[in-house]
């Protein structure tokens, strides 16, 4: 489900590459407008984050995601029907609004299924869909752009949610007790472990949710989330600029393949980082480490670009993973240090305001690129932002101690 969501969110990066697509020419766009239309998705992405996290904790995450599937499918396909820049910007904004509730809703769903000792890995394996969506779809998107044009590509990939909807409704259940295909022993273990963990985090009687939303750590989390989203989506929107070599002319398919490799590296980072975090029971240092590595690599990549394309490209492959490899561990912190009801609202708030960075990142890169006629300055700025996010991680709380271990397999 989220793979499709991420494809519909990021396919615009290749569609906005003037070397392989006519979208910018057809809609009379410059680099500043490119950054705006890539990032406006995240202004819409603010709207339903908190309501979705709140209602997912009280209603059905499965049904809520089904509603979002229909809404974002309509918006994604609509992006291929536009005729000018303003229509395109509006449809991207609508797409962001339609997708905005999916992430916090799915985090609540995973929290209904996985104990603390398994939660980071479960969330990381789910979040693998983000880099793998780009890695898997980029060559196909590049080929579709070359063969059929940007309109057909956006409409075709926008129809994927409607195909997936019946599969989602058939296989997904909100709680282990509703899933008949797992054993009674496993079902009882999960339910009892989750109940025990929830009781350890329950607030004093009648503690209002807003009490948790106003904690200083929430504002620190918003700052970290904002900075790594600036870098993640700023790089994604202009990544094709970093993989164009003046000495070579790449086809749409070749560009798509070069675009995909950093996200394959990202998937490896995500698996290793989440595995080691669950093994040690530590979260914030693992978040800071991958963000720091990406920040240094991004700055080094653009500084080396004039000396060696392939060395610069290799460093770029290590610049992309940080925001993705930190994601599951970052959002495990509120789940493991706050009551369940409060955690859903906090995740929604942090994800909503933090994802505004997804608008400012591409916008800043577009404006700085027009001023400096290159990506060295804007990508360096994004790298510095990642290093600042890594430093802020020292202010995050230590997660609650792990007293439970995973259930042995029968």
């Amino acid at each position: 489900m989220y793979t499709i969501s991420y494809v519909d969110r990021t396919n615009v990066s290749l569609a906005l590459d003037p070397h392989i697509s006519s979208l910018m020419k057809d809609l009379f766009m410059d680099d500043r407008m490119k950054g705006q239309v890539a990032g406006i998705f995240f202004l819409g992405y603010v709207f339903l984050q908190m309501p979705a996290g709140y209602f997912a904790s009280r209603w059905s995450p499965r049904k809520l995601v089904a509603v979002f599937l229909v809404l974002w499918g309509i918006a994604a396909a609509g992006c291929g029907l536009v005729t000018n820049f303003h229509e395109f910007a509006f449809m991207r904004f609508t797409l962001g609004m339609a997708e905005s509730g999916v992430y916090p809703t799915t985090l609540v769903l995973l929290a209904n299924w996985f104990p603390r000792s398994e939660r980071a890995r479960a969330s990381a394996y789910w979040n693998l869909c983000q880099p793998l969506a780009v890695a898997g779809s980029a060559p196909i998107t590049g080929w579709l752009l070359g063969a059929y044009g940007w309109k057909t590509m956006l409409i075709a990939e926008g129809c994927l949610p409607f195909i997936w909807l019946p599969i989602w409704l058939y296989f997904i259940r909100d709680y282990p007790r509703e899933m008949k295909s797992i054993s009674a022993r496993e079902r009882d273990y999960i339910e009892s472990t989750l109940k025990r963990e929830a009781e350890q985090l329950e607030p004093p009687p009648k503690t209002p949710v807003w009490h948790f939303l106003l904690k200083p750590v929430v504002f620190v989390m918003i700052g970290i989330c904002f900075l790594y989203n600036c870098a993640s989506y700023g790089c994604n929107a202009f990544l094709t600029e970093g993989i164009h070599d003046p000495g070579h002319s790449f086809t749409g398919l070749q560009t798509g393949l070069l675009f995909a490799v950093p996200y394959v590296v990202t998937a490896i980072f995500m698996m290793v980082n989440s595995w080691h975090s669950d093994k040690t029971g530590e979260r914030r240092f693992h978040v800071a480490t991958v963000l720091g590595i990406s920040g240094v690599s991004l700055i080094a990549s653009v500084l080396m670009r004039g000396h060696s394309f392939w060395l610069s490209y290799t460093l770029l492959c290590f610049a992309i993973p940080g925001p993705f490899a930190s994601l599951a561990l970052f959002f495990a912190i509120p789940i493991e240090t706050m009551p369940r009801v409060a955690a859903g609202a906090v995740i929604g708030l942090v994800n909503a305001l933090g994802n505004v960075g997804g608008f400012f990142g591409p916008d800043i890169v577009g404006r700085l690129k027009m001023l400096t006629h290159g990506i060295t300055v804007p990508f360096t700025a994004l790298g510095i932002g990642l290093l600042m996010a890594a430093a802020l991680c020292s202010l995050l709380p230590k997660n609650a101690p792990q007293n439970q271990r995973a259930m042995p397999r029968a």
Side-chain angles (χ1 to χ4, degrees):
M1 177 274 295
Y2 209 63
T3 298
I4 295 169
S5 169
Y6 214 74
V7 168
D8 286 337
R9 180 187 311 187
T10 59
N11 56 12
V12 71
S13 299
L14 284 170
L16 288 170
D17 182 0
H19 297 90
I20 60 174
S21 171
S22 65
L23 190 154
M24 288 185 67
K25 179 181 178 182
D26 294 343
L27 302 186
F28 303 101
M29 294 168 55
D30 57 24
D31 281 324
R32 178 183 59 84
M33 298 165 76
K34 173 182 176 179
Q36 289 177 343
V37 83
I40 200 171
F41 171 96
F42 294 96
L43 293 185
Y45 202 68
V46 170
F47 279 84
L48 298 179
Q49 291 282 331
M50 278 194 64
Y54 181 84
F55 284 113
S57 300
R58 289 162 173 77
W59 188 46
S60 165
R62 167 179 172 265
K63 294 176 182 177
L64 201 54
V65 167
V67 173
F68 291 136
L69 273 163
V70 174
L71 295 178
W72 101 61
I74 294 171
C79 288
L81 302 175
V82 301
T83 58
N84 58 58
F85 167 75
H86 295 291
E87 290 178 357
F88 192 41
F90 174 77
M91 291 309 301
R92 287 282 300 170
F93 176 86
T94 305
L95 176 62
M97 190 162 57
E99 285 193 20
S100 63
V102 177
Y103 193 85
T105 301
T106 310
L107 281 176
V108 172
L109 180 63
L110 290 178
N112 291 343
W113 275 86
F114 292 94
R116 186 184 303 142
S117 61
E118 301 173 351
R119 193 171 293 139
R121 277 171 294 166
S123 186
Y125 292 154
W126 160 52
N127 278 294
L128 273 176
C129 68
Q130 297 187 25
L132 294 181
V134 180
S137 68
I140 299 171
T141 299
W143 174 77
L144 285 172
L145 286 168
Y148 299 103
W150 62 271
K151 285 180 174 287
T152 300
M153 182 276 291
L154 290 172
I155 293 172
E157 294 186 351
C159 290
L160 293 175
F162 301 108
I163 298 173
W164 198 254
L165 177 62
I167 298 173
W168 172 265
L169 290 173
Y170 181 80
F171 283 102
I172 296 298
R173 293 296 180 269
D174 290 319
Y175 299 97
R177 59 180 174 270
E178 299 173 357
M179 182 69 76
K180 297 180 180 179
S181 60
I182 62 176
S183 68
R185 177 170 174 262
E186 184 175 11
R187 186 163 54 244
D188 292 343
Y189 167 80
I190 296 171
E191 296 277 3
S192 61
T193 303
L194 290 173
K195 182 179 179 181
R196 183 168 59 252
E197 291 178 354
E199 289 172 349
Q200 293 172 357
L201 295 173
E202 281 306 305
K206 299 183 179 180
T207 301
V209 171
W210 62 261
H211 172 81
F212 296 93
L213 297 177
L214 296 178
K215 284 180 175 290
V217 68
V218 174
F219 295 97
V220 173
M221 293 188 71
I222 290 171
I224 295 171
C225 190
F226 177 87
L227 289 169
Y228 75 57
N229 275 302
C230 276
S232 178
Y233 292 101
C235 286
N236 181 269
F238 287 86
L239 185 59
T240 55
E241 301 289 340
I243 61 179
H244 280 301
D245 181 8
H248 297 83
S249 178
F250 298 120
T251 66
L253 178 59
Q254 290 170 333
T255 300
L257 289 170
L258 287 171
F259 196 96
V261 172
Y263 293 93
V264 175
V265 176
T266 296
I268 297 171
F269 264 74
M270 291 176 69
M271 288 187 290
V272 173
N273 201 40
S274 63
W275 167 79
H276 194 263
S277 176
D278 271 351
K279 181 180 179 181
T280 61
E282 200 283 331
R283 304 299 190 211
R284 63 180 183 175
F285 177 75
H286 287 77
V287 174
T289 299
V290 290
L291 291 177
I293 290 172
S294 284
V296 171
S297 298
L298 185 57
I299 295 170
S301 173
V302 291
L303 292 179
M304 294 301 300
R305 194 161 183 259
H307 303 281
S308 169
F309 168 77
W310 290 110
L311 176 58
S312 174
Y313 177 73
T314 301
L315 288 166
L316 192 61
C317 291
F318 287 92
I320 300 299
F324 296 92
S326 64
L327 195 60
L329 315 183
F330 179 74
F331 282 111
I333 291 173
I335 290 175
E336 295 175 356
T337 58
M338 296 182 182
R340 178 67 55 84
V341 172
V346 167
I347 289 169
L349 178 64
V350 171
N351 206 35
L353 298 183
N355 267 283
V356 176
F359 170 78
F360 283 101
D363 186 54
I364 290 170
V365 174
R367 291 176 185 273
L368 289 177
K369 183 174 180 287
M370 289 188 68
L371 288 173
T372 62
H373 307 288
I375 61 170
T376 300
V377 172
F379 272 30
T380 298
L382 297 182
I384 292 172
L386 283 170
L387 294 178
M388 291 172 60
L392 285 172
C393 289
S394 63
L395 301 177
L396 295 175
K398 294 182 179 180
N399 52 294
Q402 290 191 112
N403 297 320
Q404 290 81 27
R405 59 187 178 86
M407 177 189 180
R409 296 195 180 276

